[in-house]
Amino acid sequence: MADLVSHPDEVKIVSKRFGQGATDIDRYLELDGYKAVQKALGIGPDALINEVKNSGLRGRGGAGFNTGMKWSFVPKQSPRPKYVLCNGDESEPGTCKDRLIFEHDPHSVIEGVVIAGLSVESHVGYIYIRGEYRYLSNIMQKAIKDAYARGFLGKNIFGSGYDFDVYWHGGAGAYEVGEESALMESLEGKRGIPRIRPPFPAVVGLWGGPTIINNAETLASVPHIILGGAEWYASLGPPRNGGTRLFCLSGHVARPGVYELPMGYNLKKMIYEVAGGIADGRRLKAVVPGGASTPCLTAEEVDVPMDFDSLMKAGSMLGSGGVVVLDDSTCMVKFALRTMQFYQHESCGWCIPCREGTDWLKKTLARFHAGEGVKKDIDNIQYLAENMLGRTFCPLGDAAAMPTIAFIKKFRKEFEDHLEGRPCPFEKEGVVKQLPVFA
Amino acid sequence: MKLSDQFEQRFHAMINHYPTKRSVLVPSLLYAQDELGYLTDELIAEMAQRLDLTDLEIRNVISYYSMLTTQPRGKFNVQVCTNIACMLRGGEEILDHCKRKLGIGHKGTTRDGLFSLEEVECIGACSWAPAAQVNYDFHENLTPERMNEVLQDYRRKVHQQENC
């Protein structure tokens, strides 16, 4: 349903079956479908893990951890069943890629889940899809049913003697559930409250069993690695950052859309060439490079390769691949406020630094944007945000704090322009919209 | 409590997917809500009984998930995203437009019970912003004019059903 875009610089791997009718299992088989699983059945767990490790595939959900490494943490012997859990709770603002994978290529996710299962000798996988994506969960349910009907899932898959079941699971609206431990709580039918780690899910996960949790795009990449080989996949990107990524370009660009580009693709080129530059002849002001929780880059900082390590070096994160582009008509105070409003809404309230921090930051930023900020507030916002970092069970607290600190550090002058009754210079009517100050 | 055959089918299929019964809770509540309009006391009691939980445990889960509600809503729930990517491309104007057009605010319902309005967080349509969902249908690349057509289409749908 969502429109597809295309650009000559794209390297289509995860997206190669988009628009090809691959939701139909016969069509999927024509397009090399289920070959990777059959190959994987003959490889053996250790070799599979090594292949994925060597491919340089890193978690596409945001954290960017080496996928093969993650799989290798699952103990060989376990008294409890082992599980594979596909994270399709895509909710990071700026991110809309898993949606396209589910919509156009659901079987590739199933294949990825089965291969992950083979690598740790698990026999059950779950595909968790956010509640808002009802049409996608219908597509996925049909895909699973079709795969069962062909003997690709269930008992004795492909006549190999190996049993593997895949089930779908649906959420009901919660950003925090995208965090791995909250995701497991949600799948167990509870509130999505994060668990303390260690123990990590690879050791103690779903129902106490060792659990592999990977993002949908990560798992959809796995079959291509098994078929094409680790060396080929690794060679697509810079060292330790293998493969390609679905980058979701949004905001003030002329051609927003989801583009699959090699890891390490230059951000400036991505904005000006792939996405057609800034719309309406305006100028670039800032970029949120990897979803709302990543620290923004200023217009001067965008000449940077888009891979995990380079972005880290640039003081930000590659995150979830959601590239939100802001032009010079954007009020950074308002943008910071809207970002914080989101985290305040989504904080589950379990950890006090996050629950109270996001609330106070929202109130302070709202007051600020309404022109009632005092100079001391600027430092207070930064101080409060810095004191949230690393003090919560799950990274939601960090996700709220990190971008806020960057907004203050990089756009301090704009915050000063809002001080003491001065109207927001960006509001069209020249008057500040009345915002709830102490709602 | 009598629930639809479709619900029962889904419920009984799902319950075998997990080692614990309560895992079916969240998707089942959403399916039930789709049929009933909201999560009624009777439904909550029914689910508690089926899953060996207390009513309170169910309510505790309901209050966590933003899509689940114990309050009646309009036939069509208009959910307008105003999160960052949509905001940059006019999501707030779409929300304001809906407020004026429907004469209701955030979480309000029109008097005829046809529409509810909700300001929602990111719905995963960032590259096609601004976007809204009406129940489960996505409407993307919206303008106020396009939003009018969307609302009109739903109104028409109801009139057609009534005339049948």
Side-chain angles (χ1 to χ4, degrees):
Chain A
M1 267 184 251
D3 299 330
L4 295 175
V5 284
S6 184
H7 188 271
D9 281 2
E10 277 190 287
V11 177
K12 294 194 184 236
I13 294 170
V14 173
S15 64
K16 80 171 187 191
R17 300 191 191 95
F18 288 7
Q20 309 281 314
T23 48
D24 179 80
I25 195 162
D26 288 314
R27 180 75 186 128
Y28 183 71
L29 289 169
E30 278 172 28
L31 299 166
D32 297 333
Y34 287 105
K35 280 190 186 155
V37 175
Q38 293 181 68
K39 189 175 170 192
L41 277 163
I43 291 180
D46 291 337
L48 270 178
I49 289 178
N50 274 331
E51 189 77 356
V52 175
K53 214 189 261 180
N54 295 336
S55 75
L57 174 66
R58 293 169 68 168
R60 301 298 194 238
F65 197 79
N66 181 293
T67 305
M69 191 83 84
K70 202 175 191 180
W71 294 3
S72 72
F73 295 152
V74 173
K76 293 256 174 249
Q77 304 296 329
S78 167
R80 290 172 189 264
K82 302 176 196 176
Y83 299 99
V84 179
L85 174 50
C86 166
N87 186 346
D89 188 61
E90 176 168 77
S91 323
E92 177 76 19
T95 319
C96 48
K97 62 189 175 63
D98 297 342
R99 194 176 145 195
L100 292 181
I101 299 174
F102 290 133
E103 184 173 329
H104 294 276
D105 204 7
H107 287 285
S108 70
V109 180
I110 299 175
E111 250 193 291
V113 169
V114 180
I115 295 169
L118 290 170
S119 74
V120 297
E121 295 175 275
S122 151
H123 296 278
V124 190
Y126 293 98
I127 298 173
Y128 188 113
I129 300 175
R130 70 181 290 192
E132 290 87 344
Y133 288 178
R134 171 58 60 82
Y135 79 105
L136 299 174
S137 110
N138 292 340
I139 290 172
M140 184 53 78
Q141 287 178 51
K142 182 179 179 294
I144 292 172
K145 208 171 129 199
D146 291 347
Y148 268 102
R150 300 290 172 100
F152 301 168
L153 293 175
K155 295 253 173 271
N156 188 18
I157 59 170
F158 297 96
S160 64
Y162 197 92
D163 301 341
F164 199 88
D165 285 307
V166 172
Y167 306 114
W168 77 280
H169 187 88
Y175 165 75
E176 193 184 9
V177 161
E179 189 276 332
E180 58 178 13
S181 69
L183 183 72
M184 296 189 292
E185 289 289 305
S186 178
L187 194 129
E188 291 180 11
K190 303 172 195 159
R191 288 169 76 87
I193 305 290
R195 299 177 184 172
I196 193 84
R197 279 148 297 165
F200 287 95
V203 182
V204 181
L206 279 171
W207 302 289
T211 305
I212 285 185
I213 305 172
N214 286 127
N215 172 259
E217 186 188 351
T218 311
L219 288 167
S221 306
V222 168
H224 300 289
I225 293 167
I226 300 305
L227 283 183
E231 214 172 299
W232 158 76
Y233 192 79
S235 73
L236 296 168
R240 294 180 307 280
N241 289 269
T244 57
R245 250 208 115 148
L246 294 174
F247 289 103
C248 320
L249 273 297
S250 69
H252 296 137
V253 284
R255 285 195 301 272
V258 179
Y259 299 90
E260 183 167 11
L261 295 160
M263 281 288 218
Y265 195 88
N266 186 282
L267 176 59
K268 195 171 178 182
K269 216 170 152 197
M270 196 183 291
I271 296 167
Y272 287 100
E273 291 178 29
V274 178
I278 309 302
D280 305 326
R282 304 198 71 106
R283 289 178 48 217
L284 177 68
K285 182 172 196 170
V287 183
V288 178
S293 59
T294 56
C296 69
L297 299 171
T298 63
E300 293 73 40
E301 295 170 326
V302 296
D303 197 0
V304 60
M306 287 290 271
D307 61 70
F308 289 105
D309 299 330
S310 304
L311 263 276
M312 192 68 90
K313 223 187 286 168
S316 187
M317 285 166 75
L318 189 61
S320 62
V323 183
V324 186
V325 179
L326 285 64
D327 74 14
D328 55 3
S329 69
T330 318
C331 169
M332 295 310 287
V333 176
K334 187 176 174 189
F335 194 81
L337 167 62
R338 187 62 188 86
T339 304
M340 190 50 65
Q341 224 173 312
F342 167 70
Y343 288 109
Q344 190 268 346
H345 181 260
E346 298 299 330
S347 174
C348 74
W350 183 255
C351 311
I352 297 162
C354 173
R355 182 186 68 207
E356 298 302 312
T358 52
D359 198 48
W360 275 103
L361 286 172
K362 183 185 100 168
K363 284 171 180 164
T364 311
L365 287 165
R367 184 153 48 85
F368 223 101
H369 186 241
E372 289 165 52
V374 289
K375 195 151 193 211
K376 211 170 72 182
D377 284 337
I378 305 178
D379 290 329
N380 275 348
I381 292 171
Q382 189 177 337
Y383 179 72
L384 213 163
E386 280 169 353
N387 278 287
M388 287 161 69
L389 289 175
R391 289 182 168 84
T392 49
F393 272 37
C394 89
L396 199 147
D398 296 349
M402 288 185 304
T404 309
I405 296 167
F407 291 138
I408 296 272
K409 279 192 180 160
K410 296 182 181 180
F411 294 95
R412 195 179 176 95
K413 167 132 197 337
E414 214 160 288
F415 280 81
E416 286 169 354
D417 286 345
H418 281 73
L419 282 178
E420 284 140 16
R422 252 176 278 170
C424 172
F426 293 91
E427 286 291 334
K428 276 181 213 131
E429 294 89 28
V431 212
V432 172
K433 237 199 296 184
Q434 202 48 52
L435 284 158
V437 176
F438 288 105
Chain B
M1 180 187 184
K2 179 86 183 112
L3 285 150
S4 77
D5 292 346
Q6 195 187 26
F7 177 87
E8 295 299 353
Q9 226 171 15
R10 284 171 168 158
F11 182 86
H12 290 291
M14 280 193 289
I15 203 124
N16 297 317
H17 295 173
Y18 313 91
T20 53
K21 277 200 278 187
R22 80 175 283 171
S23 280
V24 302
L25 182 58
V26 175
S28 303
L29 286 173
L30 200 53
Y31 276 133
Q33 178 175 290
D34 291 344
E35 293 183 5
L36 303 169
Y38 67 105
L39 299 166
T40 60
D41 291 349
E42 200 189 359
L43 187 271
I44 290 168
E46 172 75 18
M47 291 303 286
Q49 194 238 325
R50 286 190 191 197
L51 303 177
D52 298 327
L53 297 169
T54 61
D55 286 21
L56 187 63
E57 282 172 300
I58 306 245
R59 286 182 195 278
N60 190 29
V61 169
I62 292 172
S63 67
Y64 177 84
Y65 295 93
S66 60
M67 291 173 77
L68 301 177
T69 175
T70 52
Q71 303 296 318
R73 278 199 296 227
K75 192 176 169 66
F76 303 112
N77 190 27
V78 182
Q79 304 147 76
V80 182
C81 175
T82 59
N83 207 310
I84 51 173
C86 282
M87 180 184 91
L88 294 176
R89 295 181 80 94
E92 289 177 328
E93 285 79 41
I94 301 294
L95 178 69
D96 285 344
H97 183 77
C98 288
K99 283 182 181 168
R100 273 197 306 272
K101 205 77 195 165
L102 298 171
I104 49 175
H106 171 60
K107 295 212 169 171
T109 301
T110 55
R111 214 172 282 173
D112 59 5
L114 215 50
F115 292 104
S116 289
L117 184 62
E118 218 180 308
E119 177 179 8
V120 294
E121 298 298 351
C122 189
I123 52 174
C126 315
S127 291
W128 311 282
Q133 262 190 302
V134 180
N135 296 345
Y136 291 107
D137 299 335
F138 279 88
H139 299 280
E140 293 158 342
N141 299 312
L142 290 169
T143 57
E145 295 73 40
R146 175 84 194 92
M147 195 69 223
N148 282 348
E149 287 166 30
V150 169
L151 296 176
Q152 202 50 44
D153 282 349
Y154 285 99
R155 255 193 212 107
R156 212 171 293 140
K157 230 181 248 178
V158 170
H159 288 311
Q160 274 166 358
Q161 276 169 3
E162 279 168 357
N163 294 335
C164 277

